[in-house]
Amino acid sequence: MPLFPRGNALAAGSASAQEPFMQIRLTVDGRSATATLYDNATARDFAALLPLTLTMEDYAAIERVATLPRKLSTQGAPEGMAPVAGELTHYAPWGNLAIFIEGRSYARGLLPLGKVDEGLPVLARPGPYPLRIEAVLPKK
């Protein structure tokens, strides 16, 4: 069951206009960022892994990456994307999570997972660092 109401478009700056699926919290050394996962098969498969603790490392100075426990679904996914700053992605060929600190040009095999809503500086710190990712439960 989605933890985020459907039907609202995400920010126009997103590399791929996606419907929201659920909110997540990303925690580094007690500081948190929040993000919204998109409503697609890859993001839903990622959500099924939560809660998750990963070790984020620097890659190409513009992204932080970590190996996931398994590759995610690519059902219905685009061939690739051009991510913007704050975009959470799955790089299907390597089976990893990539969080973009800066945007980049189109990359084949890069699939959209979600977008950081607030707290990108928490994630932009140099790696390696442990990152805890968990679902944000709706308020009752």
Side-chain angles (χ1 to χ4, degrees):
M1 176 174 207
L3 298 176
F4 193 91
R6 297 176 189 237
N8 296 332
L10 293 178
S14 178
S16 49
Q18 300 271 342
E19 292 293 315
F21 167 57
M22 71 182 286
Q23 287 191 310
I24 59 173
R25 180 176 17 261
L26 303 100
T27 306
V28 179
D29 291 335
R31 297 180 60 212
S32 294
T34 58
T36 300
L37 294 181
Y38 301 141
D39 190 6
N40 62 47
T42 308
R44 287 190 301 273
D45 199 18
F46 177 72
L49 295 174
L50 302 180
L52 192 59
T53 300
L54 302 170
T55 299
M56 303 303 292
E57 298 183 8
D58 300 344
Y59 185 79
I62 65 166
E63 58 187 291
R64 303 298 177 263
V65 300
T67 302
L68 292 171
R70 62 174 170 77
K71 289 187 176 185
L72 302 177
S73 170
T74 59
Q75 180 182 352
E79 288 186 15
M81 64 181 284
V84 297
E87 200 115 34
L88 281 71
T89 65
H90 174 58
Y91 187 58
W94 294 352
N96 70 1
L97 169 69
I99 301 173
F100 282 85
I101 307 310
E102 298 176 22
R104 66 152 290 153
S105 59
Y106 178 90
R108 186 176 178 88
L110 199 57
L111 309 179
L113 289 178
K115 182 97 165 74
V116 174
D117 299 317
E118 56 184 68
L120 185 58
V122 171
L123 307 170
R125 66 184 278 186
Y129 61 81
L131 174 68
R132 175 78 173 170
I133 308 171
E134 54 199 346
V136 174
L137 299 177
K139 296 178 182 176
K140 294 185 179 195

